[in-house]
Amino acid sequence: MNNYFRNGLFMLMAGTLAVSCADYNETEDFTAQPDPAFQEPYKDLAPVKSYINHEQYPNLTLGATLKVADFNKQELAHAAAVTNFDNLAFGNTLMSGAIVNDKGVMNFLAMKDLLDHVEEIGGEVFGSPIVANANQADGWLAMLTAPIEIIVDIIEDKVVDYTTMETFTGTAKSGKPSIEKNYDGTDNALKIPKKAKVYIVEGFDIDPQGSYTITFNAKVDKDETVICTFADNKIKEGGSDKKFPIKAGKWVKVVIEATPAEGATDGYFMLEGNLNSIVYIKNVTVVHTPDNHRPQTAQELSDTINYALNAWCNGLMKINNGRITSFDLIDEPIDVKAPLENSMFDLKHANDEKQIFWQDILGSENYAPVVSKVASKAFEDFRGNPADLRFFISESGLDNPQKMASLNYWINIWDNNGAKIDGINAKLNLTYSEDPATQAENVATLKTLLANLAATGKLIRLSNFDIKYQDAEGQSVNATNITQAQRQKLANYYADVIKSYMTTIPHDKQAGICKGNMADTSDPVGLWSVDSKSKDWVRTATYEAFCKALRGE
């Protein structure tokens, strides 16, 4: 038997129980093939989840986070997850940003494959956030809330008729333009010398959003090209100045489309670049089409964003078909940079016109109530049992007491306004330090966090349960360099955190702990380390620590 958890060799046979040499690799509905054996001293340990005493801790579960693509491959990560954990979470890969394209087309194929397989093997999934500020279908929301196209009239800005002028009184950046009298035997014309830079029309207001058309009649003795600038914006073609041709011998009507430079206030059209011939101008007209869009009204935006919310929840819950019963309702709503008058932190709000945040349109106090109502209805409409449905508010940085208090403040407001909020999903950011004073602070901070969470009376789930390791000088110790002794200290702290959760959070409020990474990353955060050559997974002291802590040791 191989001594490693072999990478890429696991095929899960749903609905059958193949012959197995190790009970720890079986669940009720499948067996991973081939069965993994493990290096000493951890090879005889059972799957981690099997160590939970469900009589004493009836609601305690153990979860793991992985990507949809990794799960659907049904290889190593998939086998480790379903063998050792009660439920699976998929981060932002089941959020609208990964599923809905800019035109509103929803691609649930990967999610359907995932849920069909999970249902087949009797597993559970914790739902990704239904709404958030990040990882949303931003292109779709921007399209839906874009200004509405309207009919507008063309505006005539300026007309200059040089045929009736006696002298030129305009602006010349260089050269000496003049009025040529009786140029073609009847009318006068503006004469622009070679290599001059002349405003052939000026003195009109600028509409920053307008699309301008400049029309002039010109005549040259030799074929010529000219370069034009409109309201500080030199007209380009690719990376070069665009050259407009004028054929010799007759009056030529030249039509140029232009837009003003950003921030331009003076309206003018300058002609230059005539190196071969004098240019004569008979008349000039400037017109523009105002921006033919108007912003949506507050009511239109409300209708639009409610349509989007309903469309997303209906699509999500139709594919879900009642199979996921626990979801993050809203992800990371609190803005620690925006204190309110009562010293609580405000919700996050968009600071860019291009950003669309649900709460800006639904309203801060109605944010969770509206989302929970729409999502609950969609869940029930598509074969979900409302008695099974649970919604969490997920938030990071709750070790900051003011942020914790602010989250509780907003949850109370939302509860009073009719929201369904069953629990808090606290995202952890933990570190073990070899410095005794620093580690004492880490432990005290965690103790306070758990006490504050317990005081809310909500279901409490801990997620992103990864602990990084720092030496006494505060330097990170990576997975490659960590010693076995250091790994054991880290494992002991994992066990302490688990036991603190189990003893601090009331048993009926324990919604589980979710591992951030099952195997080491660059940090030694895994229940498994990764062999540098073979890429196999090998159980670590952390695996043993989880088992003992969950068993109450």
Side-chain angles (χ1 to χ4, degrees):
M1 178 63 68
N2 197 316
N3 285 331
Y4 294 94
F5 197 175
R6 295 297 301 175
N7 183 16
L9 294 179
F10 288 87
M11 299 300 294
L12 299 185
M13 303 171 61
T16 64
L17 284 176
V19 177
S20 174
C21 65
D23 291 340
Y24 56 71
N25 200 41
E26 296 183 0
T27 71
E28 293 179 0
D29 299 312
F30 76 93
T31 298
Q33 290 292 332
D35 290 314
F38 301 86
Q39 288 182 319
E40 297 289 359
Y42 310 119
K43 72 175 186 178
D44 293 327
L45 292 173
V48 181
K49 64 184 180 183
S50 67
Y51 289 89
I52 299 174
N53 183 342
H54 288 294
E55 290 186 2
Q56 186 175 4
Y57 303 98
N59 298 311
L60 180 61
T61 61
L62 190 64
T65 304
L66 68 165
K67 296 179 181 178
V68 171
D70 289 340
F71 181 82
N72 283 346
K73 289 177 184 177
Q74 297 190 24
E75 296 178 354
L76 187 150
H78 168 276
V82 299
T83 303
N84 289 277
F85 298 89
D86 295 302
N87 54 72
L88 309 175
F90 294 92
N92 59 24
T93 54
L94 292 182
M95 294 176 70
S96 64
I99 291 173
V100 188
N101 71 12
D102 289 355
K103 295 182 179 179
V105 177
M106 301 184 186
N107 182 355
F108 286 103
L109 291 177
M111 182 175 177
K112 183 179 185 304
D113 288 344
L114 181 155
L115 290 178
D116 288 349
H117 178 60
V118 169
E119 184 177 31
E120 188 177 20
I121 64 175
E124 293 183 0
V125 172
F126 186 90
S128 297
I130 293 174
V131 294
N133 303 311
N135 302 302
Q136 298 296 278
D138 294 326
W140 179 48
L141 295 179
M143 182 269 289
L144 289 176
T145 57
I148 296 173
E149 188 170 313
I150 59 176
I151 298 174
V152 296
D153 294 325
I154 294 175
I155 296 174
E156 186 175 83
D157 296 282
K158 190 76 179 259
V159 176
V160 177
D161 184 1
Y162 287 109
T163 65
T164 61
M165 289 188 181
E166 296 293 324
T167 58
F168 177 71
T169 58
T171 302
K173 290 291 186 179
S174 64
K176 295 182 179 181
S178 60
I179 298 297
E180 182 83 7
K181 295 182 179 180
N182 298 319
Y183 165 67
D184 57 1
T186 55
D187 295 323
N188 298 345
L190 172 62
K191 177 182 178 181
I192 300 177
K194 297 178 184 179
K195 302 181 182 180
K197 296 182 179 181
V198 180
Y199 288 9
I200 64 172
V201 61
E202 59 185 311
F204 54 91
D205 295 330
I206 286 296
D207 178 355
Q209 306 301 320
S211 300
Y212 283 80
T213 301
I214 303 93
T215 305
F216 59 92
N217 289 286
K219 190 174 182 180
V220 292
D221 295 328
K222 298 178 183 179
D223 286 355
E224 185 59 281
T225 59
V226 293
I227 297 170
C228 303
T229 299
F230 177 77
D232 299 340
N233 191 15
K234 182 168 281 191
I235 300 173
K236 298 281 187 178
E237 189 166 42
S240 305
D241 296 337
K242 185 172 183 179
K243 296 181 178 181
F244 296 90
I246 304 174
K247 290 291 185 181
K250 60 180 181 180
W251 287 103
V252 176
K253 183 179 181 180
V254 182
V255 179
I256 296 176
E257 305 293 336
T259 56
E262 184 176 354
T265 56
D266 296 329
Y268 69 88
F269 182 82
M270 183 176 75
L271 186 148
E272 62 178 302
N274 52 317
L275 306 179
N276 302 312
S277 176
I278 296 171
V279 178
Y280 295 90
I281 305 293
K282 185 186 292 187
N283 48 46
V284 187
T285 302
V286 179
V287 300
H288 84 275
T289 302
D291 183 11
N292 62 335
H293 297 84
R294 66 161 178 81
Q296 293 187 34
T297 65
Q299 185 60 55
E300 288 169 338
L301 283 173
S302 177
D303 292 344
T304 297
I305 210 69
N306 275 281
Y307 157 78
L309 180 61
N310 277 272
W312 163 239
C313 288
N314 284 335
L316 175 67
M317 294 306 181
K318 183 177 181 180
I319 292 296
N320 179 43
N321 202 28
R323 292 174 287 192
I324 302 174
T325 57
S326 293
F327 292 86
D328 278 336
L329 183 72
I330 296 172
D331 186 47
E332 300 197 16
I334 305 300
D335 185 356
V336 296
K337 297 181 180 179
L340 298 170
E341 291 182 357
N342 61 2
S343 78
M344 295 294 105
F345 294 133
D346 196 2
L347 301 184
K348 293 175 182 174
H349 294 283
N351 53 20
D352 186 324
E353 292 181 357
K354 296 180 181 179
Q355 289 180 307
I356 306 297
F357 282 7
W358 302 95
Q359 60 271 32
D360 289 340
I361 298 172
L362 299 175
S364 296
E365 296 188 354
N366 290 318
Y367 182 24
V370 170
V371 176
S372 68
K373 180 180 179 180
V374 171
S376 296
K377 182 178 185 303
F379 178 80
E380 188 173 356
D381 287 347
F382 294 101
R383 300 184 62 185
N385 182 354
D388 297 334
L389 182 61
R390 298 189 304 178
F391 286 142
F392 292 75
I393 305 296
S394 58
E395 186 57 89
S396 61
L398 294 178
D399 50 336
N400 176 344
Q402 193 65 16
K403 190 172 187 181
M404 179 71 240
S406 299
L407 177 63
N408 205 33
Y409 164 78
W410 282 106
I411 288 177
N412 287 334
I413 289 176
W414 293 333
D415 280 342
N416 291 333
N417 286 347
K420 175 179 174 56
I421 300 173
D422 301 284
I424 296 172
N425 183 12
K427 298 180 179 180
L428 301 178
N429 181 24
L430 302 179
T431 301
Y432 174 83
S433 175
E434 290 182 349
D435 177 66
T438 302
Q439 183 57 18
E441 291 179 4
N442 292 339
V443 171
T445 298
L446 175 67
K447 182 178 179 180
T448 300
L449 168 61
L450 292 174
N452 287 338
L453 289 169
T456 66
K458 298 287 187 181
L459 294 170
I460 301 301
R461 181 176 186 264
L462 303 183
S463 60
N464 193 39
F465 185 33
D466 288 347
I467 304 178
K468 298 180 180 180
Y469 194 101
Q470 289 183 349
D471 63 20
E473 285 70 44
Q475 298 300 309
S476 295
V477 176
N478 62 37
T480 302
N481 297 330
I482 193 168
T483 66
Q484 189 59 39
Q486 290 173 320
R487 179 80 77 167
Q488 188 60 58
K489 292 178 182 179
L490 180 61
N492 293 342
Y493 189 41
Y494 268 106
D496 290 343
V497 175
I498 294 170
K499 288 185 284 187
S500 294
Y501 171 83
M502 294 167 67
T503 55
T504 305
I505 306 300
H507 294 188
D508 63 334
K509 300 301 181 182
Q510 293 174 3
I513 298 172
C514 185
K515 193 72 180 70
N517 288 278
M518 294 184 291
D520 285 349
T521 60
S522 58
D523 292 301
V525 294
L527 277 69
W528 293 267
S529 62
V530 181
D531 185 87
S532 59
K533 294 182 179 179
S534 66
K535 303 305 179 184
D536 294 321
W537 288 16
V538 183
R539 285 176 173 176
T540 69
T542 300
Y543 190 104
E544 180 187 48
F546 264 67
C547 297
K548 289 183 176 180
L550 292 170
R551 192 163 54 193
E553 295 182 11

